[in-house]
Amino acid sequence: MQKYLLIAIGGALGSIARYWVGSSIAGRMGIKFPYGTLVVNLSACLIIGFTLTYLGKRADLNPAWRFLIPIGFIGAYSTFSTYEWETLSTMRSGAFVLAALYAGGSLILGLIAVWAGTIAAEAL
């Protein structure tokens, strides 16, 4: 039962963080391009890369952290489905180049962010 509570707490915090980060970025950068979702996706990649690598190295840490952070927090914070919807919506509006830049940029920069998180965790 503890793992479900940890997932729920992480999920609540992840949802709040997703809304705050996404809306803060959108408020600053505008909504013509989904900057908020892009920042959320990239930071989620960095956090999951760091967390899973760090937890994998530290066998002495309580396994409950896996339920709280990668499953609960990142599961609610990450916005892959929103990313897909926004890509489709951008394509439907006729902005195919912008949609391709968004989809490709998210993929490539996300991989770089996961790699950077892994490198940061391995350095500890």
Side-chain angles (χ1 to χ4, degrees), residues 28-90:
R28 290 187 186 118
M29 305 291 291
I31 59 170
K32 185 172 183 171
F33 183 83
Y35 295 106
T37 301
L38 181 62
V39 168
V40 167
N41 282 338
L42 295 177
S43 60
C45 290
L46 180 69
I47 294 166
I48 204 164
F50 178 88
T51 302
L52 291 177
T53 301
Y54 187 75
L55 292 174
K57 283 178 46 173
R58 300 287 308 269
D60 60 317
L61 290 176
N62 187 330
W65 285 105
R66 286 188 181 273
F67 297 110
L68 181 69
I69 299 172
I71 296 172
F73 183 85
I74 297 297
Y77 179 73
S78 184
T79 57
F80 193 75
S81 59
T82 304
Y83 150 79
E84 292 291 348
W85 175 258
E86 289 172 340
T87 301
L88 178 63
S89 296
T90 304

Side-chain angles (χ1 to χ4, degrees), residues 2 6 14-15 24 28 33-34 38 49-50 82 87 91-92 96 110 115 121:
Q2 177 191 16
L6 291 170
S15 296
S24 294
R28 290 187 186 118
F33 183 83
L38 181 62
F50 178 88
T82 304
T87 301
M91 288 171 40
R92 284 183 170 171
F96 295 102
W115 175 71

